[in-house]
Amino acid sequence: MDVKSIDSFSDPDVQRCPYPLIEKMHQDAPVFLDPVTGFYVVVGFADIAHVNQRTDLFSNQTSIILGVGAETPEIKELYGTEGFPRMHTLVTNDPPSHTMYRAIVDKVFTTSFVRTLEPYFRDLADDLIDGFASKGAADLLRDYCNRLPVYVIADQLGAGREHWEDFKKWSDTVIEMINPKLSEEERLTLCKKHVEMQKFIENMRVVYSAKPQEGTLLSRLAHAEVDGRLLTPTEFNNIAEIMIVAGNETTASTFAHCFVELVRNPTLREKLEADHSLIPNFIEEMLRLHAPSPHFYREVLDDTELSGVPIPKGSIVMLSYLAGNYDPEKFPDPREIDLDRKPIRNHLGFGRGIHFCVGHQLARAELRIGIERLLDRLKDLRFDPEFPEPALAALFHIHTVDQLMVRFTPEDVRD
């Protein structure tokens, strides 16, 4: 098959229903040249794992996610005078500097720290459910899937929860900036919104540098040391942004996919309600089926090939984690939910290699507890017939649903 004849992941219709394209790619072209973006798209699990291992050949320092090196003069001036220049630290970086920055955040996201947050996650989930449980209906995407992880971020910032919609807006802005089809005018508008976020983060850095606040992630980051020194304001801003955006967008998306599946599959829902020990494996399968960050990018540093397809030096490779999780050579019956799949965590939902998600323990704990509490309290969960059923949203860099309106048996107001 001519690799140039296949559809593009940048097509909104494909984003709303990527599965026919994914199946076609696995059958006919596990590596193909996207006709719109010009990226070489890689969908095979083994190829994706190989690219992640070969940091000497496939550089993570591209301009795709951060725009570093591809800014217009106006955008460069905006960040230089009003905000902070974007720089490669974690998600878009290579060794050895990636190793240095990763060591810092690994000290922030320790297992013991996440464990101390579990009672707080439980109380927060119950507080949010209290807000709609007696009504018998809810906008579950807005009032639970989005709010729970954004509230966690707000609390970890030491900011008021009443500003949660600002955090969500800023996160959406950062995600939207990754779209390669943006016009220069659209990108400049988004960058101006992004600078608002940068100014907020800098204010928090100044506050926490002067007065540490025990138990908050940004305070821990403000006092973390690299090579015997504190992070510079620019380093702090770029790392904090990753923690804020990745900390809510991916978790919110996975929550949404979990609840959509539980409404559509009442037999599975009853199984999880009866045995909460199955919830972690359910989460892993949903992370596999619906990788929240579907694609990541590498620049090819020398001529190479993947699955027999020549890829010249300087090309951009797009690793489709979403598609890789449907590789039938790695996952038998890939579209099926198999709670006994082994090894159940060996998917790409949290990435691979040195860029494996640093906040995976935090996300898994939020998801597990959030699902437990909602299953315990909302009975007869179903889609609200007055609204369309949820569908995949037409987004390039986030794999989520467009809405999630539900009904359930009203619960008495808790004391």
Side-chain angles (χ1 to χ4, degrees):
M1 171 177 287
D2 179 1
V3 295
K4 295 182 180 179
S5 68
I6 298 184
D7 296 328
S8 172
F9 275 114
S10 65
D11 184 338
D13 289 337
V14 171
Q15 293 160 7
R16 294 186 188 98
C17 186
Y19 308 111
L21 175 57
I22 288 173
E23 184 175 353
K24 181 179 180 182
M25 287 156 46
H26 280 301
Q27 290 176 350
D28 301 325
V31 178
F32 75 96
L33 184 62
D34 187 305
V36 177
T37 64
F39 303 153
Y40 283 86
V41 180
V42 181
V43 305
F45 188 96
D47 281 338
I48 292 172
H50 171 73
V51 170
N52 274 291
Q53 291 168 352
R54 291 294 307 275
T55 57
D56 61 318
L57 181 57
F58 299 95
S59 173
N60 216 30
Q61 292 188 357
T62 76
S63 63
I64 308 303
I65 291 182
L66 298 186
V68 175
E71 307 97 331
T72 64
E74 194 171 3
I75 289 175
K76 187 174 291 188
E77 181 181 2
L78 174 69
Y79 283 122
T81 58
E82 298 186 37
F84 294 89
R86 306 192 83 185
M87 64 177 291
H88 299 298
T89 54
L90 294 169
V91 177
T92 63
N93 206 2
D94 295 325
S97 61
H98 170 270
T99 307
M100 174 185 68
Y101 291 122
R102 179 71 187 226
I104 293 173
V105 294
D106 280 342
K107 295 176 184 177
V108 174
F109 287 99
T110 62
T111 301
S112 59
F113 175 66
V114 172
R115 192 175 295 120
T116 66
L117 295 176
E118 291 200 4
Y120 153 74
F121 291 155
R122 192 165 288 105
D123 289 343
L124 174 56
D126 277 324
D127 287 346
L128 289 172
I129 295 171
D130 285 345
F132 53 76
S134 64
K135 300 175 183 177
D139 179 344
L140 205 59
L141 182 62
R142 181 184 189 275
D143 293 334
Y144 195 70
C145 302
N146 286 341
R147 284 200 188 202
L148 196 154
V150 176
Y151 276 18
V152 170
I153 293 299
D155 291 346
Q156 288 301 317
L157 292 174
R161 292 179 182 176
E162 66 272 14
H163 300 299
W164 79 273
E165 288 179 297
D166 287 330
F167 300 128
K168 184 68 175 69
K169 175 192 71 175
W170 291 333
S171 294
D172 290 346
T173 295
V174 172
I175 295 300
E176 192 175 352
M177 289 166 65
I178 299 172
N179 188 345
K181 296 179 71 176
L182 290 174
S183 68
E184 288 188 8
E185 183 179 354
E186 290 171 328
R187 190 171 299 280
L188 177 60
T189 299
L190 291 170
C191 288
K192 290 177 179 178
K193 294 179 182 178
H194 180 229
V195 167
E196 294 177 15
M197 179 185 186
Q198 290 187 325
K199 290 177 178 178
F200 177 87
I201 292 173
E202 171 61 7
N203 181 63
M204 300 307 298
R205 185 195 67 81
V206 171
V207 169
Y208 288 141
S209 294
K211 187 176 181 181
Q213 184 170 328
E214 186 66 28
T216 64
L217 289 173
L218 282 195
S219 181
R220 291 161 67 91
L221 186 64
H223 293 273
E225 292 190 356
V226 49
D227 293 338
R229 64 171 178 82
L230 298 177
L231 294 171
T232 67
T234 298
E235 289 172 324
F236 181 92
N237 212 285
N238 278 268
I239 294 175
E241 175 187 310
I242 293 169
M243 294 167 64
I244 292 169
V245 176
N248 78 77
E249 289 287 352
T250 55
T251 307
S253 300
T254 304
F255 264 134
H257 287 299
C258 286
F259 294 131
V260 168
E261 183 61 38
L262 292 175
V263 171
R264 288 179 174 158
N265 192 338
T267 300
L268 176 61
R269 183 172 75 244
E270 291 170 4
K271 194 174 181 179
L272 299 188
E273 286 174 341
D275 186 356
H276 283 184
S277 71
L278 299 176
I279 291 176
N281 280 12
F282 169 65
I283 292 169
E284 298 305 323
E285 277 290 82
M286 296 310 292
L287 285 164
R288 181 184 66 81
L289 290 166
H290 299 287
S293 295
H295 316 299
F296 282 94
Y297 313 89
R298 303 291 188 270
E299 181 176 347
V300 181
L301 301 180
D302 202 355
D303 292 348
T304 187
E305 69 172 47
L306 291 168
S307 288
V309 176
I311 304 177
K313 178 180 178 180
S315 300
I316 297 296
V317 166
M318 186 176 95
L319 305 178
S320 179
Y321 291 172
L322 176 65
N325 281 333
Y326 284 83
D327 187 339
E329 293 188 7
K330 181 68 177 180
F331 305 103
D333 300 316
R335 297 193 70 166
E336 299 298 317
I337 296 174
D338 181 0
L339 301 185
D340 295 318
R341 196 181 294 277
K342 291 183 174 52
I344 199 144
R345 288 191 172 192
N346 192 24
H347 54 73
L348 300 167
F350 282 128
R352 194 80 175 177
I354 64 171
H355 294 288
F356 189 76
C357 175
V358 68
H360 70 97
Q361 295 181 93
L362 190 72
R364 283 178 165 127
E366 287 182 51
L367 290 164
R368 173 175 53 82
I369 292 169
I371 293 170
E372 285 177 0
R373 296 311 303 138
L374 192 129
L375 286 179
D376 281 348
R377 295 188 56 186
L378 299 190
K379 302 304 177 183
D380 190 26
L381 188 65
R382 59 198 186 277
F383 296 134
D384 191 328
E386 294 186 7
F387 297 88
E389 287 196 10
L392 292 179
L395 298 170
F396 183 75
H397 195 71
I398 285 290
H399 180 69
T400 189
V401 300
D402 55 358
Q403 52 84 23
L404 183 49
M405 309 299 291
V406 298
R407 290 191 180 184
F408 44 86
T409 302
E411 180 188 78
D412 293 336
V413 177
R414 294 195 312 159
D415 295 332

